[in-house]
């Protein structure tokens, strides 16, 4: 769209040359937005120019819609390229199966045909994809071995058909962790063991390094930390990492603690997961959140000891740390995989959805609220490009199941077992009484956008910190992160979860009904 030209009477002459593909390019879209800004600067708006204000807002909306259409076209082209790649891989597989059933003489002609028909690097891509992720999408719905199928061809209408299904594999790193969640064998769809049983971790080699993270400004935590460091060094002969603050406290106490290691830069923290076998936290749930935020990728197994005011994620008692750590270092360990949300802020000025700010990982929740504004928040919500609703109220909470007993519960959300892979969608004081909380499956992507007609800005906070302002046109995109936080269980996931809500929330605690009251006849 070329810049709009306005005459002295305020009437506009619009020219909108279209590209060959029928969509406006990004340059023309930016020009249209600049034209609106020039109009507003050259023609100061008076109180009587309401129609001109509405017109400029409408033009902004149109430019935004055209930009989204151009992005949609790019996404469609990428999807078409992906389908073409899958077709080539399927054709490669069919040619390989055909090659199996041929005689040696026929194979010579087949090899020539194969060299002409196969796309470059097709075999290499197939081996790379399958080698890392197991069964891939191009192997879906294959009915076993070709020879066995041909032998049973006469019975193909009388026997139950066998098939194989798998998670979509397109080479994307974010999809790899979704393999092997559901098993499909011989026509019977069953749930895999890992989604229905307690997860156990068994050491293949003895742990050598432990990272200890502590709650600050607590004398009792400091004393336990001193004792634990000495015990792990003298009786378990382990390498010990602590925070720089804690190392200074240890050296102030005694020069004996010179063996303790720490880090000096953020770059060293980024590779800490490659050095540490086990993480021990001394504090409450806040210390667990701090430990999880340190690891932007894989997280070592975490052993949380309760020394704080909240203990939903800290099942171990600090006074018994010797017995607990002795058992955990030997293994096996029952663990709870606590899923995290990966959040991206996309500004309105971004040219596409890949121009985002640094991703933020949250273990409890991300909250979008109205901040200090007196106006209701106005948020447009989408789930995998499907419109969900428009939130008008104090805000919205996107929570993990581990965070279901935190802010989401206070806002009316459900308590959910931490190993249930889902995303909680909980409104904060909505303006509609029919607006009830939702729970989405873990594989969806949720997009929260501040519309251009919003009266004020919104604010996003991540696990109660890293607060960011969201202006009109900005969006927050959340999906499940591929790296959960494995926390050790005292008994198992279910027992620890139920005990935490009984002890921490006094859930369903009431006086027992008297036995000498009225009874049925």
């Amino acid at each position: 769209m070329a810049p709009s030209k306005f005459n002295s009477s305020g009437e506009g002459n619009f020219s909108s040359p279209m590209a060959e593909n029928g969509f406006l390019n990004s340059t023309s879209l930016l020009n249209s937005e600049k034209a609106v800004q020039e109009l507003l600067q050259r023609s100061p708006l008076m109180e009587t120019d309401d129609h001109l204000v509405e017109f400029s807002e409408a033009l902004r909306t149109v430019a935004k819609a055209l930009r989204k259409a151009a992005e949609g076209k790019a996404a469609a082209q990428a999807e078409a390229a992906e389908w073409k790649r899958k077709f080539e891989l399927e054709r490669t597989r069919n040619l390989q199966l055909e090659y199996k059933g041929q005689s040696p003489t026929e194979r010579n002609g087949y090899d020539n045909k194969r060299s002409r028909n196969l796309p470059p690097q097709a075999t290499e891509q197939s081996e790379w994809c399958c080698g890392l992720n197991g069964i891939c999408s191009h192997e879906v719905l294959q009915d076993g071995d070709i020879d066995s199928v041909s032998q049973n061809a006469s019975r193909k209408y009388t026997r139950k058909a066998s098939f194989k299904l798998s998670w979509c594999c397109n080479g994307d790193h974010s999809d790899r962790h979704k393999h092997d969640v559901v098993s499909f064998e011989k026509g019977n769809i069953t749930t895999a063991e890992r989604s229905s049983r307690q997860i156990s971790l068994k050491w293949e080699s003895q742990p050598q390094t432990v990272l200890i993270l502590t709650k600050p400004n607590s004398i009792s935590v400091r004393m336990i930390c001193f004792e634990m460091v000495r015990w792990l060094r003298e009786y378990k002969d382990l390498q010990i990492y602590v925070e720089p603050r804690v190392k200074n406290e240890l050296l102030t106490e005694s020069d004996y603690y010179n063996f303790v290691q720490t880090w000096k830069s953020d770059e060293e923290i980024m590779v800490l997961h490659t050095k540490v076998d086990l993480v021990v936290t001394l504090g409450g749930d806040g210390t667990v959140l701090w430990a999880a935020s340190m690891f932007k990728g894989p997280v070592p197994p975490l052993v949380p000891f309760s020394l704080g005011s909240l203990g939903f994620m800290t099942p171990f008692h600090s006074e018994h740390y010797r017995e607990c750590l002795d058992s955990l270092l030997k293994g096996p360990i029952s663990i709870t995989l606590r899923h995290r949300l990966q959040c991206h802020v996309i500004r309105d000025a971004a040219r596409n959805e890949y121009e985002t700010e640094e991703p933020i990982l949250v273990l409890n929740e991300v909250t979008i609220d109205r901040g200090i504004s007196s106006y209701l928040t106005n948020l447009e919500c989408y789930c995998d490009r499907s419109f969900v609703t428009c939130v008008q109220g104090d805000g919205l909470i996107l929570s993990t199941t581990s965070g279901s007993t935190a802010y989401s519960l206070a806002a009316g959300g459900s308590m959910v077992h931490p190993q249930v892979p889902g995303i909680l969608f909980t409104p904060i004081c909505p303006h509609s009484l029919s607006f009830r909380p939702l729970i989405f499956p873990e594989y969806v992507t949720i997009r929260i956008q501040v519309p251009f007609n919003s009266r004020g800005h919104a604010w996003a906070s991540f696990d109660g910190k890293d607060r960011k302002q969201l202006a009109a046109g900005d969006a927050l995109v959340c999906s499940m992160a591929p790296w959960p936080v494995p926390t050790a269980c005292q008994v198992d996931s279910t027992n620890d979860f139920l005990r935490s809500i009984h002890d921490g929330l006094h859930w369903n605690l009431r006086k027992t009904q008297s036995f000498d009251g009225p009874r049925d006849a």
Side-chain angles (χ1 to χ4, degrees):
M1 181 181 295
S4 305
K5 302 184 187 301
F6 293 86
N7 55 29
S8 57
S9 62
E11 297 178 353
N13 180 20
F14 297 93
S15 58
S16 56
M18 304 296 289
E20 294 179 0
N21 52 24
F23 289 97
L24 296 173
N25 57 37
S26 57
T27 305
S28 60
L29 292 173
L30 291 174
N31 288 339
S32 65
E33 296 179 357
K34 291 178 181 178
V36 176
Q37 297 298 333
E38 291 176 3
L39 167 66
L40 297 177
Q41 292 174 2
R42 284 186 291 179
S43 304
L45 300 180
M46 307 299 291
E47 295 181 358
T48 56
D49 293 336
D50 292 341
H51 65 285
L52 191 56
V53 175
E54 294 177 1
F55 174 75
S56 62
E57 290 293 338
L59 191 56
R60 285 194 183 96
T61 305
V62 170
K64 190 69 176 179
L66 292 174
R67 179 187 294 179
K68 289 184 178 180
E71 293 176 0
K73 175 180 176 292
Q77 289 175 340
E79 185 177 359
E82 179 63 21
W83 278 109
K84 181 180 179 182
R85 186 186 69 84
K86 291 180 180 180
F87 169 76
E88 296 293 352
L89 291 174
E90 182 66 22
R91 186 173 65 170
T92 301
R93 175 179 172 79
N94 292 336
L95 291 175
Q96 289 173 348
L97 292 176
E98 181 183 349
Y99 183 79
K100 278 185 181 180
Q102 291 179 344
S103 63
T105 8
E106 293 173 331
R107 289 182 182 177
N108 293 331
Y110 170 82
D111 289 335
N112 297 331
K113 176 184 175 182
R114 183 177 183 270
S115 62
R116 294 192 302 268
N117 290 335
L118 286 182
Q121 301 177 346
T123 306
E124 181 183 350
Q125 290 179 0
S126 177
E127 291 175 354
W128 175 84
C129 190
C130 298
L132 293 180
N133 297 308
I135 299 176
C136 295
S137 58
H138 58 273
E139 293 184 350
V140 171
L141 301 178
Q142 298 295 330
D143 193 8
D145 187 75
I146 298 298
D147 296 333
S148 62
V149 174
S150 60
Q151 292 174 4
N152 299 322
S154 59
R155 296 184 297 163
K156 66 180 181 180
Y157 296 107
T158 58
R159 69 181 180 87
K160 184 177 180 179
S162 63
F163 60 89
K164 294 180 182 178
L165 297 178
S166 71
W167 294 108
C168 177
C169 174
N170 55 9
D172 186 4
H173 292 271
S174 62
D175 288 338
R176 291 183 183 174
H177 68 289
K178 299 177 184 177
H179 285 266
D180 303 328
V181 176
V182 179
S183 169
F184 306 85
E185 295 180 356
K186 299 180 181 178
N188 299 317
I189 302 177
T190 59
T191 304
E193 291 185 357
R194 85 175 211 185
S195 62
S196 60
R197 297 185 181 180
Q198 173 62 48
I199 302 172
S200 179
L201 184 149
K202 185 177 181 181
W203 299 110
E204 294 183 353
S205 60
Q206 188 66 23
Q208 301 295 324
T209 308
V210 174
L211 168 63
I212 300 179
L213 300 174
T214 65
K215 175 184 177 181
N217 305 321
S218 173
I219 298 177
S220 60
V221 170
R222 187 182 305 175
M223 299 306 297
I224 291 289
C225 178
F226 292 169
E227 294 179 12
M228 183 179 292
V229 169
R230 184 184 292 270
W231 181 79
L232 289 173
R233 182 66 173 182
E234 294 180 354
Y235 293 93
K236 297 301 177 181
D237 194 25
L238 296 176
Q239 301 294 324
I240 299 174
Y241 274 83
V242 296
E243 299 171 85
R245 168 185 57 83
V246 178
K247 183 173 182 179
N248 292 334
E249 294 175 355
L250 290 169
L251 293 178
T252 304
E253 178 72 15
S254 171
D255 292 337
Y256 167 81
Y257 297 104
N258 280 325
F259 60 85
V260 173
Q261 304 180 56
T262 187
W263 54 87
K264 297 181 180 179
S265 64
D266 293 340
E267 288 74 16
E268 294 183 47
I269 298 179
M270 296 298 293
V271 297
L272 200 57
H273 67 278
T274 63
K275 304 176 182 179
V276 174
D277 299 316
L278 197 68
V279 179
V280 174
T281 64
L282 301 176
D285 288 352
T287 311
V288 177
L289 294 177
W290 166 245
S293 67
M294 287 183 57
F295 297 92
K296 308 304 180 183
V299 186
L302 193 147
V303 183
F305 286 92
S306 57
L307 281 161
S309 54
L310 288 177
F312 290 100
M313 294 186 286
T314 55
F316 295 99
H317 300 290
S318 58
E319 57 268 22
H320 305 301
Y321 74 86
R322 291 181 177 87
E323 296 84 350
C324 294
L325 290 177
D326 187 62
S327 173
L328 294 170
L329 290 171
K330 292 177 182 177
I333 309 173
S334 295
I335 63 172
T336 298
L337 288 181
R338 299 186 180 274
H339 301 275
R340 293 189 289 178
L341 286 177
Q342 185 168 263
C343 307
H344 298 265
V345 175
I346 304 176
R347 299 299 178 183
D348 179 49
R351 289 171 294 181
N352 53 58
E353 294 191 357
Y354 300 100
E355 291 188 359
T356 66
E357 297 183 4
E358 187 73 18
I360 301 175
L361 296 177
V362 297
L363 181 57
N364 265 358
E365 76 277 311
V366 52
T367 304
I368 306 98
D369 57 57
R370 62 182 182 176
I372 61 174
S373 173
S374 59
Y375 298 110
L376 297 177
T377 55
N378 188 5
L379 305 172
E380 294 177 353
C381 306
Y382 300 86
C383 176
D384 285 343
R385 304 198 178 193
S386 298
F387 178 72
V388 178
T389 188
C390 183
V391 176
Q392 288 185 301
D394 282 354
L396 177 69
I397 301 170
L398 297 179
S399 169
T400 65
T401 49
S402 292
S404 66
T405 51
Y407 195 0
S408 175
L409 180 63
S414 298
M415 291 189 293
V416 186
H417 193 289
Q419 283 196 178
V420 175
I423 302 175
L424 280 66
F425 185 92
T426 309
I428 305 174
C429 298
H431 203 249
S432 170
L433 294 178
S434 63
F435 194 172
R436 308 308 302 158
L438 297 175
I439 300 178
F440 289 106
E442 53 93 17
Y443 56 80
V444 303
T445 299
I446 298 178
R447 179 187 180 101
I448 310 298
Q449 185 157 359
V450 181
F452 286 99
N453 61 351
S454 176
R455 291 186 176 183
H457 296 166
W459 292 84
S461 58
F462 308 87
D463 276 343
K465 56 185 180 181
D466 298 330
R467 199 160 172 83
K468 293 181 179 292
Q469 184 179 10
L470 301 178
D474 294 345
L476 177 69
V477 178
C478 299
S479 60
M480 195 68 74
W483 307 284
V485 179
T487 59
C489 302
Q490 188 177 37
V491 182
D492 55 52
S493 295
T494 302
N495 185 284
D496 287 4
F497 171 66
L498 294 176
R499 189 176 69 251
S500 70
I501 63 175
H502 281 296
D503 296 344
L505 295 175
H506 304 294
W507 180 60
N508 197 28
L509 182 63
R510 67 178 297 274
K511 187 176 180 180
T512 306
Q513 191 174 24
S514 174
F515 68 92
D516 57 354
R519 302 183 182 183
D520 292 338

